[in-house]
Amino acid sequence: MKMGFRKKIVKINVGAEVTYMNMTAYNKGRLQSSFWIVDKQHVYLGSASLDWRSLGQMKELGVIFYNCSCLVLDLQRIFALYSSLKFKSRVPQTWSKRLYGVYDNQKKLQLQLNETYSQAFVSNSPKLFCPKNRSFDIDAIYSVIDDAKKFVFIAVMDYLPISSTSSRRTYWPDLDGKIREALVLRSVKVRLLISFWKETDPLTFNFISSLKAICTEIANCSLKVKFFDLERENTCASKEQKNNTFPKLNRNKYMVTDGAAYIGNFDWVGNEFTQNAGTGLVINQVDVSNDTSIIKQLKDVFERDWYSPYARTLQPTKQPNCSSLFKLKPPSNKTATHDASRRDP
């Protein structure tokens, strides 16, 4: 079985059946799952939506499984769950057994990925959409972080541990607290790569500063954060330019450790997991030394972006002429030219 980081667009000459779901009626959220099932054999899962902006202007990441009918069966049940809701005005109290999960965090699929022994399972959100034997996305992410021995690398478009309603905002500690636990209690090295764009919430920088502060004077507590800006020259562009140009963004939504990976559909924002419908994939591998290992491939992708000229630290500025109120600090020449394979991120 082979898998890789690329996308394929398939033309369908016989037409397509389109079903719309009223997610607001179920959970006041959106259907945000992004996966394809082809011929009951192949699967794509990742951050990309099926539109020209996502496929033409955004920096997306996903995985393709070829000839993996077992994983297809599990994803088909998630697809069937969505389809079962199209004639319902609310989520049923009990789900049909035909929608139960086939694999979860306790019973993982055993398989060979690129000649590497692996374990895998898919997760789902929100919890309201998790029937029996289906892992919740948050629990899946927890399992990946808890198993990390050396490092946790996280790449997301937005990072904001806040849950918002029409009347108030509340702190959402689920993922933020798990990162703090890994840093302080287990001395796991954490790297956060977050997109920087006009919609970045200013509170993001407060939470990042708070994360950095907990490592003060704690031995072996290592946290570094960079912001990925594909349009850094246009960060302070005029309002007219912003209205006429759709931003180019790094919309990756994944995490990789020394032994596992999580690839999902959500940014690490409270409302994403509590309200929206999405799907995640966890892959565990013990031998990650060979070049075809999916863990090594994903780590290489992260480090390529981490050391690219688009990834920079942010420093506060008193100049109020940008809506973000932040500016990019350029990397040193040493960082920019040093061989990525020999760096300690």
Side-chain angles (χ1 to χ4, degrees), residues 50 69 84 87 117 131 146 155 161 190 198 213 229 240 296 312 323:
L50 196 57
S69 56
S84 72
F87 298 119
Y117 172 74
D146 286 341
V190 176
K198 64 179 182 179
D229 183 13
E240 182 180 356
K296 186 180 185 304
R312 308 199 173 186
S323 60

Side-chain angles (χ1 to χ4, degrees), residues 300-315:
D300 289 345
V301 169
F302 182 91
E303 291 183 332
R304 177 203 63 190
D305 292 346
W306 182 265
Y307 292 110
S308 79
Y310 297 101
R312 308 199 173 186
T313 57
L314 288 179
Q315 297 295 325

Side-chain angles (χ1 to χ4, degrees), residues 35-37 42-45 65 69-82 102 122-123 134 279-281:
F35 63 84
W36 304 3
I37 299 172
H42 317 305
V43 166
Y44 164 83
L45 188 149
F65 286 78
S69 56
C70 295
L71 191 66
V72 165
L73 173 62
D74 215 7
L75 276 169
Q76 279 184 321
R77 295 196 175 192
I78 294 177
F79 189 89
L81 184 147
Y82 296 154
V102 181
V122 291
S123 54
R134 176 71 66 207
T279 305
L281 168 70

Side-chain angles (χ1 to χ4, degrees), residues 68-335:
C68 191
S69 56
C70 295
L71 191 66
V72 165
L73 173 62
D74 215 7
L75 276 169
Q76 279 184 321
R77 295 196 175 192
I78 294 177
F79 189 89
L81 184 147
Y82 296 154
S83 299
S84 72
L85 293 172
K86 64 183 177 181
F87 298 119
K88 295 181 173 64
S89 59
R90 61 182 180 181
V91 175
Q93 292 183 344
T94 58
W95 297 99
S96 166
K97 290 184 178 180
R98 291 177 296 177
L99 303 178
Y100 286 5
V102 181
Y103 304 102
D104 61 10
N105 191 31
Q106 303 301 318
K107 180 188 174 185
K108 300 176 183 178
L109 172 64
Q110 316 288 319
L111 71 167
Q112 288 283 331
L113 293 179
N114 298 355
E115 293 79 46
T116 304
Y117 172 74
S118 309
Q119 297 178 315
F121 67 94
V122 291
S123 54
N124 204 16
S125 287
K127 212 159 193 176
L128 190 65
F129 284 10
C130 288
K132 188 176 180 180
N133 301 332
R134 176 71 66 207
S135 293
F136 180 37
D137 269 318
I138 296 297
D139 295 331
I141 293 173
Y142 278 9
S143 72
V144 173
I145 296 178
D146 286 341
D147 288 343
K149 303 294 189 298
K150 298 177 181 178
F151 66 86
V152 174
F153 295 165
I154 302 163
V156 288
M157 186 175 77
D158 291 314
Y159 180 87
L160 187 66
I162 289 287
S163 184
S164 302
T165 65
S166 57
S167 58
R168 63 171 186 162
R169 304 176 98 185
T170 57
Y171 175 52
W172 185 72
D174 293 37
L175 299 181
D176 195 63
K178 181 57 69 172
I179 291 174
R180 294 170 189 267
E181 178 184 301
L183 283 167
V184 177
L185 301 184
R186 298 185 9 248
S187 299
V188 174
K189 179 171 63 178
V190 176
R191 301 291 178 260
L192 265 169
L193 186 62
I194 305 168
S195 289
F196 180 77
W197 62 306
K198 64 179 182 179
E199 298 297 330
T200 299
D201 193 303
L203 274 177
T204 298
F205 308 105
N206 296 64
F207 283 110
I208 294 306
S209 297
S210 175
L211 274 174
K212 287 182 176 180
I214 68 171
C215 280
T216 304
E217 298 184 3
I218 298 180
N220 300 319
C221 185
S222 176
L223 170 74
K224 290 185 180 179
V225 181
K226 286 188 178 182
F227 289 80
F228 200 91
D229 183 13
L230 284 170
E231 292 190 323
R232 64 179 187 271
E233 289 150 359
N234 298 324
T235 300
C236 299
S238 68
K239 185 176 180 180
E240 182 180 356
Q241 286 177 304
K242 289 182 179 181
N243 287 340
N244 293 335
T245 305
F246 198 84
K248 295 181 175 68
L249 289 173
N250 180 24
R251 294 213 316 168
N252 294 176
K253 308 172 196 302
Y254 70 90
M255 168 177 57
V256 61
T257 74
D258 44 286
Y262 169 84
I263 300 166
N265 302 147
F266 290 149
D267 291 308
W268 286 23
V269 179
N271 288 68
E272 298 276 285
F273 293 93
T274 58
Q275 292 184 325
N276 298 338
T279 305
L281 168 70
V282 172
I283 301 171
N284 295 89
Q285 293 181 324
V286 176
D287 180 14
V288 298
S289 58
N290 67 75
D291 290 337
T292 60
S293 161
I294 201 66
I295 303 301
K296 186 180 185 304
Q297 288 186 54
L298 198 55
K299 180 175 179 285
D300 289 345
V301 169
F302 182 91
E303 291 183 332
R304 177 203 63 190
D305 292 346
W306 182 265
Y307 292 110
S308 79
Y310 297 101
R312 308 199 173 186
T313 57
L314 288 179
Q315 297 295 325
T317 176
K318 295 181 180 179
Q319 299 175 1
N321 56 347
C322 290
S323 60
S324 64
L325 300 181
F326 283 79
K327 65 181 180 181
L328 292 169
K329 178 183 177 182
S332 65
N333 291 333
K334 182 178 180 181
T335 302

